[in-house]
Amino acid sequence: MEKNLHKNIDNILSEKYLSYAISTIISRSLPDVRDGLKPVHRRIIYSMYQLKLFNSSSYKKSARIVGDVMGKFHPHGDQAIYDSLVRMAQDFSTRIKLIDGQGNFGNIDGDNPAAMRYTEARLDSYTDYFFDGIQENSVNFKENYDGQNLEPEVLPSQLPNILINGAMGIAVGMATNIPPHNIKELVDCLILLIKDPKTNITKLLKILKGPDFPTGGEVILNQKEKKDIYSSGKGTFIINSKWLKEDLKNGMYQLVITEIPYQINKTKIIEQLANSINTKKIPLDDVVDESDENIRIVIRPKNRNIDHKKLIELCFKLSDLSIKFSCNFNVLINGLVPKQIGLVEILLNFLDHRKISIKRKSEYNINKIKKRLEILKGYQIVFKNLEKIINIIRKKDEPKKELIKKFKLSENQVDAILSMRLGSLRKIDEKNIMKENSDLIKELKFLKKLISDKKTINQYITDDLTNITNDFDPLIKDRRTNIFHETIYSNDIDIDEFKEIEKLTITIDKNYNLKRFKDHIDHNDLKKNNTDIKQSVKILSNQKLMLFVSSGKVFSIDPNDIPGGNSKPKSFIYFVDSQQNDKVVGIISSENNIILSASKFGKGFASNLSQLITIQRKGKQFFNLKKNDEVIKVFCVKKSHIICVTKQEKMLAFDLTTIPQIQKGVGVQLIKIKDKDNLIDITDINPEDGFEWTSGSKKRKIDTIDFWVGKRAQSGKKVPKFFNKVLKFSE
């Protein structure tokens, strides 16, 4: 048989995909706001209820339960059903377990549960609150997939399970991620809403502190973020592990992780920390799992001098000891409409559902009581006319009709009378009937009031919630997760902060090769062993070596990368991307503050060194040079005046404050440069100390420099007698 469709393929695909999407959203992925369950969870619990697997009964094989669920209600894969059953039995996955499992149901390390043929299960005591009046028409039932059984559309839950245990699910085009919460706080919120349905979110959040995870931990959630999440149903917060410091011998210590973030695999955390140790991203000696039924991850630092607070901050940064949790309160309203809602709407929806189920249960019981009262009334007539009724039963051919006619009884009453045993005609049974009649009348009045009176039903729900929470073990009611309004941890922590700080000396020779020496060594002592050394810098291992080149660029080099010991010196171009003809004109430690840069044409300016640090290998252009100009020197300024000398033997000293401080530019004129002249050397001095220079192997000094002191950009005066031929202050 063939069927031809004359439709646009786009329309067909969109219709089919939409149908699939709606089916996924409603029938599989999103929980119902009323009982907080997805269809698979509801079917597992109801199937176990039908099997009478209550908390007081014996366990049954999980395979039997899964088979029953799959055969009657959930025509999907057995493994998917078993996985759902397992999760409801894990105390680290659910805030209050729904299923009591016996056997291996997996663990927080991420190990898989045993196969369903080996494990056994029954309902946990918490699920007693899911079936209030289920046999008394409190909820609607629908046909299962093959029409041979009935299943509840929703369970008549007495508690807001959607928030108690939370929910996770990914549908087509939407997802849900609701964290678990504390039952006591939620009940207090419900009672407040019952008293005043117009209670705003601010008042509720004074009671509800925030999420409460089965695995504990610490949640960082400020008031604004909290209000945003519980108002809109969307937002994020941080979950940190709980830890403590244990002091050991000789000043050593170790950090112990006692609680980890929700739904994080413990083994994964240990692997992350171990990998960080191997890649030297974290200063740890070892990480050991000493967990039994309680989590205990031991973190041992490399040495006792490492700050334990900074160390845990780095562990948080590099592993899942700290995670970001994204909230998305997507739920099904009345089992049909997917919607993202906030706390108030969730609780009001639950209360509406609770009131409906109570009223339906009450109506069912009212009808049941009315039928019983009718029969009791018939029994009362029997006791008043016992001999007459016995006589009619014995002598009449159709006693039923005769009794209806003579005593004006209903058929139900007559059937009950005719079914009475002779032994129940005792006097004591008459008294019991009278008492039962009185009790039922009282109950009937209460049930009618429960249906019609708003205050009565509100008080009934309030009392019910209070009694339920009183019945729970304090271990369940007590909050496990600590809530903090602001973090005490920093994410900017870096491994460099933990490196052992060493004293180093960096040298550069005439060929611009760099070499590292341990400890701080005097420049003259270095030159004794190597006369090619041009300049040396005393530096610490956690500082940067600032290298300046003639093209006006500055580079930052990690001194630990420079070869030391018996290694051969390496050219500066090995560490940076510089131009071919660049010459090194200065190396300075990043700890210094103010530097002075000077060019061949007599231009120059001061700079703050800390603002010139760069992480780029290609460096940073700081001096804008004119054609044929080049930087000749960069040095640290620590004295009050600057003195410079030119090729034509002109010398000028002037006040440092006349030089502007900039981070990048062309600079100002330091000394007037005439044709065929250029700046040779420059340094800083204190005029009261005079100044000295080297000439060959001799040191010469002039006590006063007043003759050469002038204003910046002047031509200067003739250099002093005996000044060296290379016109350098230091050869």
Side-chain angles (χ1 to χ4, degrees):
M1 181 179 176
E2 290 184 5
K3 186 178 180 181
N4 295 322
L5 291 174
H6 298 282
K7 280 188 177 181
N8 188 312
I9 187 108
D10 291 343
N11 294 338
I12 294 172
L13 286 173
S14 63
E15 285 172 13
K16 297 297 181 186
Y17 191 76
L18 181 62
S19 174
Y20 160 69
I22 292 168
S23 172
T24 304
I25 290 165
I26 294 173
S27 303
R28 299 195 71 169
S29 300
L30 295 190
D32 194 304
V33 71
R34 296 170 291 178
D35 61 7
L37 299 171
K38 297 179 191 177
V40 64
H41 300 125
R42 190 179 300 116
R43 286 163 178 169
I44 290 169
I45 291 171
Y46 182 64
S47 182
M48 292 176 77
Y49 172 82
Q50 282 192 323
L51 291 168
K52 301 192 184 311
L53 291 178
F54 307 118
N55 193 244
S56 55
S57 67
S58 59
Y59 295 91
K60 260 194 173 59
K61 284 287 184 187
S62 298
R64 164 69 198 279
I65 298 165
V66 169
D68 209 60
V69 173
M70 186 166 59
K72 286 184 178 178
F73 307 117
H74 201 69
H76 300 282
D78 59 346
Q79 193 58 47
I81 298 169
Y82 184 53
D83 288 344
S84 298
L85 184 150
V86 163
R87 192 175 184 280
M88 289 191 286
Q90 293 174 334
D91 58 3
F92 54 88
S93 293
T94 50
R95 184 61 181 81
I96 306 177
K97 288 193 303 175
L98 284 83
I99 289 174
D100 179 16
Q102 185 170 264
N104 176 15
F105 276 82
N107 56 38
I108 202 164
D109 285 340
D111 296 332
N112 292 326
M116 67 182 84
R117 62 183 178 275
Y118 299 120
T119 61
E120 296 176 333
R122 64 185 179 189
L123 291 172
D124 211 310
S125 55
Y126 173 59
T127 52
D128 293 346
Y129 305 112
F130 281 79
F131 302 109
D132 182 44
I134 197 166
Q135 304 280 9
E136 298 164 300
N137 194 39
S138 57
V139 290
N140 289 331
F141 278 72
K142 62 181 180 181
E143 288 186 347
N144 70 335
Y145 66 93
D146 62 2
Q148 293 186 18
N149 292 281
L150 292 175
E151 61 174 310
E153 291 181 358
V154 65
L155 294 180
S157 176
Q158 293 171 263
L159 291 166
N161 183 61
I162 187 78
L163 290 172
I164 291 171
N165 275 322
M168 278 192 355
I170 300 172
V172 178
M174 61 177 61
T176 188
N177 199 22
I178 303 171
H181 292 80
N182 183 270
I183 185 170
K184 180 74 171 63
E185 292 173 13
L186 286 172
V187 165
D188 289 343
C189 286
L190 284 169
I191 291 171
L192 186 62
L193 270 175
I194 290 167
K195 289 177 182 175
D196 181 12
K198 293 183 180 178
T199 301
N200 60 32
I201 189 72
T202 306
K203 288 181 181 177
L204 289 178
L205 293 183
K206 288 179 181 177
I207 299 170
L208 189 74
K209 294 178 182 177
D212 189 22
F213 296 105
T215 50
E218 297 175 346
V219 164
I220 313 300
L221 186 62
N222 64 42
Q223 292 296 341
K224 184 182 180 303
E225 290 171 341
K226 184 176 169 183
K227 191 170 183 179
D228 289 345
I229 290 170
Y230 289 105
S231 297
S232 65
K234 194 166 188 178
T236 60
F237 55 82
I238 301 294
I239 312 175
N240 289 332
S241 301
K242 278 187 188 173
W243 62 278
L244 55 90
K245 180 190 175 192
E246 290 183 354
D247 292 320
L248 305 174
K249 292 179 181 178
N250 303 320
M252 279 297 290
Y253 69 87
Q254 62 186 20
L255 303 179
V256 179
I257 308 298
T258 57
E259 292 177 5
I260 61 175
Y262 182 55
Q263 292 179 331
I264 294 299
N265 187 317
K266 176 161 63 74
T267 303
K268 183 184 176 186
I269 290 174
I270 294 166
E271 286 176 358
Q272 288 171 336
L273 292 173
N275 289 335
S276 295
I277 294 171
N278 294 335
T279 54
K280 297 183 179 179
K281 289 182 179 178
I282 196 165
L284 292 182
D285 184 49
D286 199 6
V287 55
V288 182
D289 185 9
E290 296 182 358
S291 306
D292 42 30
E293 65 271 10
N294 298 314
I295 288 175
R296 182 179 166 86
I297 303 170
V298 178
I299 296 171
R300 295 176 182 145
K302 268 194 175 296
N303 61 66
R304 62 188 176 188
N305 297 322
I306 294 172
D307 187 295
H308 69 279
K309 287 185 179 177
K310 289 187 176 181
L311 180 60
I312 199 69
E313 285 172 3
L314 189 60
C315 291
F316 281 0
K317 182 179 178 181
L318 297 177
S319 73
D320 285 342
L321 285 172
S322 176
I323 64 163
K324 184 176 279 189
F325 189 95
S326 297
C327 295
N328 197 352
F329 292 14
N330 263 326
V331 296
L332 288 177
I333 306 294
N334 295 324
L336 294 171
V337 183
K339 189 180 179 184
Q340 188 180 81
I341 58 177
L343 175 66
V344 176
E345 201 171 345
I346 288 175
L347 295 179
L348 288 175
N349 269 281
F350 166 74
L351 286 174
D352 288 344
H353 169 60
R354 184 77 185 113
K355 287 174 184 176
I356 290 167
S357 63
I358 289 170
K359 286 178 180 179
R360 288 183 57 153
K361 175 186 171 184
S362 300
E363 285 168 357
Y364 175 88
N365 284 319
I366 285 169
N367 292 330
K368 189 177 175 183
I369 289 169
K370 283 179 177 178
K371 287 178 183 177
R372 181 62 180 165
L373 285 171
E374 183 186 357
I375 290 168
L376 291 177
K377 189 178 179 182
Y379 288 164
Q380 287 172 334
I381 292 170
V382 169
F383 284 106
K384 284 180 183 178
N385 304 279
L386 188 57
E387 291 181 3
K388 289 179 182 178
I389 289 172
I390 291 171
N391 197 36
I392 290 170
I393 292 170
R394 289 186 67 194
K395 294 181 177 179
K396 298 294 180 180
D397 292 335
E398 293 184 355
K400 186 175 181 179
K401 287 182 181 179
E402 191 66 30
L403 288 171
I404 291 171
K405 182 180 177 183
K406 188 169 183 67
F407 298 103
K408 297 180 180 178
L409 299 170
S410 67
E411 282 203 21
N412 287 338
Q413 287 173 324
V414 173
D415 289 338
I417 290 167
L418 293 174
S419 301
M420 286 178 77
R421 294 184 297 111
L422 288 172
S424 63
L425 299 174
R426 296 174 304 164
K427 190 73 176 173
I428 192 167
D429 287 315
E430 184 180 0
K431 289 180 181 179
N432 289 338
I433 287 167
M434 297 294 287
K435 186 178 183 304
E436 185 184 353
N437 188 73
S438 175
D439 291 342
L440 287 175
I441 289 169
K442 285 180 185 177
E443 189 179 348
L444 185 64
K445 285 180 181 178
F446 173 73
L447 291 175
K448 286 181 177 179
K449 194 176 181 183
L450 193 62
I451 291 172
S452 59
D453 185 56
K454 189 177 178 182
K455 286 184 180 178
T456 305
I457 195 168
N458 284 344
Q459 190 59 49
Y460 178 84
I461 296 171
T462 301
D463 293 342
D464 189 44
L465 289 168
T466 305
N467 292 333
I468 289 170
T469 48
N470 290 337
D471 289 342
F472 273 108
D473 191 304
L475 289 173
I476 292 174
K477 288 190 288 185
D478 292 345
R479 172 167 275 279
R480 296 181 189 175
T481 302
N482 295 335
I483 308 291
F484 295 98
H485 297 311
E486 58 183 26
T487 182
I488 58 170
Y489 305 109
S490 170
N491 284 326
D492 297 330
I493 199 80
D494 195 84
I495 183 64
D496 289 343
E497 294 188 39
F498 301 94
K499 287 181 179 176
E500 194 172 340
I501 299 171
E502 292 183 282
K503 290 181 178 180
L504 303 173
T505 302
I506 307 297
T507 64
I508 188 165
D509 62 22
K510 292 176 181 178
N511 296 317
Y512 307 122
N513 295 317
L514 295 169
K515 181 77 183 279
R516 169 171 52 89
F517 294 89
K518 281 190 175 182
D519 216 341
H520 286 171
I521 306 171
D522 187 77
H523 182 72
N524 291 328
D525 292 338
L526 290 165
K527 287 204 76 169
K528 286 178 185 177
N529 298 322
N530 185 357
T531 55
D532 286 342
I533 290 176
K534 185 178 178 183
Q535 189 181 349
S536 66
V537 174
K538 292 171 184 176
I539 195 169
L540 297 176
S541 58
N542 64 338
Q543 296 169 350
K544 297 291 183 185
L545 179 73
M546 307 298 291
L547 187 141
F548 298 84
V549 295
S550 54
S551 61
K553 276 192 172 186
V554 58
F555 304 92
S556 303
I557 301 173
D558 186 344
N560 300 289
D561 295 339
I562 295 170
N566 296 324
S567 302
K568 288 184 178 181
K570 284 186 177 179
S571 172
F572 78 97
I573 61 173
Y574 180 84
F575 306 99
V576 299
D577 293 337
S578 70
Q579 296 175 17
Q580 190 173 358
N581 298 322
D582 273 346
K583 295 173 281 189
V584 178
V585 294
I587 55 171
I588 303 169
S589 166
S590 61
E591 72 164 338
N592 290 285
N593 192 7
I594 304 302
I595 60 164
L596 187 74
S597 313
S599 77
K600 187 170 77 171
F601 291 171
K603 295 283 187 179
F605 55 88
S607 302
N608 187 328
L609 186 62
S610 64
Q611 294 182 28
L612 293 177
I613 296 172
T614 175
I615 59 170
Q616 294 185 339
R617 187 179 167 88
K618 65 180 181 180
K620 182 190 286 187
Q621 188 74 35
F622 77 100
F623 208 129
N624 295 331
L625 298 164
K626 292 184 178 180
K627 188 178 180 182
N628 298 325
D629 196 8
E630 62 181 26
V631 180
I632 61 160
K633 192 173 183 180
V634 180
F635 64 99
C636 298
V637 182
K638 294 179 181 176
K639 297 176 182 178
S640 64
H641 282 61
I642 299 297
I643 188 165
C644 41
V645 62
T646 70
K647 185 179 179 181
Q648 292 184 358
E649 300 185 349
K650 295 290 183 179
M651 185 180 288
L652 175 68
F654 55 90
D655 196 323
L656 173 65
T657 57
T658 61
I659 301 175
Q661 185 176 314
I662 57 176
Q663 296 311 118
K664 182 178 180 180
V666 296
V668 294
Q669 199 68 41
L670 303 175
I671 184 171
K672 190 173 183 180
I673 300 293
K674 296 179 181 178
D675 291 342
K676 297 181 181 179
D677 195 9
N678 59 267
L679 186 66
I680 296 295
D681 200 6
I682 184 169
T683 191
D684 60 335
I685 58 168
N686 289 320
E688 62 272 19
D689 298 334
F691 85 98
E692 62 181 24
W693 69 91
T694 56
S695 182
S697 59
K698 293 182 180 180
K699 279 192 175 183
R700 296 185 180 274
K701 184 178 179 182
I702 292 179
D703 292 331
T704 178
I705 64 162
D706 292 347
F707 178 72
W708 290 277
V709 174
K711 292 182 179 179
R712 180 181 59 77
Q714 287 183 336
S715 297
K717 295 178 180 178
K718 185 73 174 175
V719 296
K721 196 177 181 182
F722 307 119
F723 199 73
N724 59 49
K725 291 180 181 179
V726 293
L727 300 172
K728 297 267 188 181
F729 295 112
S730 177
E731 287 187 274

